Amino acid sequence: MTESYRAPTGQDTGFTAYDTGSTPYDEGYYEHGVAADRWARAQLFFEAKDFTAAARILRGLVDEDPQPVAPRLLLARAYYHSAQLGRAEAELRAVLERDPVEEYARLMLGRTLERQGRAGEAAGQLRIATALGADGA
C-alpha cells in the first residue's frame, strides 16, 4: 500500500514546486549559453527523441549563423521526426543549395517528399542520393 505524504501546514519540506505548464523550460532555456553549449544541448535532446525541443534550439543556431551545414541538417532531421515535413523540406533544400552533393540531405529530402505523398519528386532525389553513395536509398 502506498501512502502520500503531506507536510503539516506551514512546514517547509525542502522541495520547490515548479510550474508544469505546456513548456517544460522557460523561453530563455533554449537560447541560453554560447553556440557550442546550445549545439551540445540540441544533440542531447535529439538523442533523447525530444525532437521539438531540439528543433527550438537548432532554429536559433541556424538563424544566428546559416552557413554551417551540420546544425541545419540536424534541424531538418528534428523537423522530419516531429512530422513537420514542410519545414524539414525547406531546411533540406537550404542545405542542398549550399552543398548540392550532400548525400544524406538528398536521401532525407527524398524520404520527406515520400511522406508528403510526392513520389515522383521523391524518386528523383532518391536516385541522386544513390548515385552519390547514400545508404538506404
Side-chain angles (χ1 to χ4, degrees):
M1 181 163 110
T2 304
E3 293 182 35
S4 62
Y5 173 77
R6 173 174 263 161
T9 306
Q11 182 179 347
D12 183 11
T13 63
F15 294 104
T16 304
Y18 293 97
D19 179 17
T20 57
S22 61
T23 57
Y25 306 100
D26 66 28
E27 293 301 315
Y29 177 80
Y30 298 99
E31 292 84 26
H32 179 73
V34 297
D37 294 337
R38 288 179 286 143
W39 170 246
R41 191 165 46 249
Q43 290 175 308
L44 290 173
F45 276 115
F46 188 89
E47 290 168 11
K49 298 187 182 346
D50 188 346
F51 303 116
T52 304
R56 288 186 69 179
I57 296 167
L58 291 162
R59 176 81 268 156
L61 287 171
V62 168
D63 288 346
E64 284 176 25
D65 187 2
Q67 295 307 314
V69 170
R72 191 177 291 274
L73 191 54
L74 190 59
L75 175 59
R77 291 177 64 198
Y79 283 151
Y80 178 86
H81 289 298
S82 60
Q84 298 179 61
L85 301 178
R87 289 179 175 177
E89 179 183 352
E91 295 305 325
L92 291 165
R93 291 192 187 279
V95 166
L96 291 169
E97 284 177 20
R98 288 168 176 73
D99 187 359
V101 295
E102 169 50 62
E103 63 190 52
Y104 188 69
R106 291 274 175 199
L107 175 63
M108 271 197 64
L109 180 57
R111 298 285 184 238
T112 300
L113 293 169
E114 282 180 333
R115 280 184 70 184
Q116 293 180 68
R118 296 159 58 190
E121 290 177 75
Q125 295 297 328
L126 294 172
R127 275 194 301 276
I128 295 170
T130 299
L132 293 172
D135 292 334

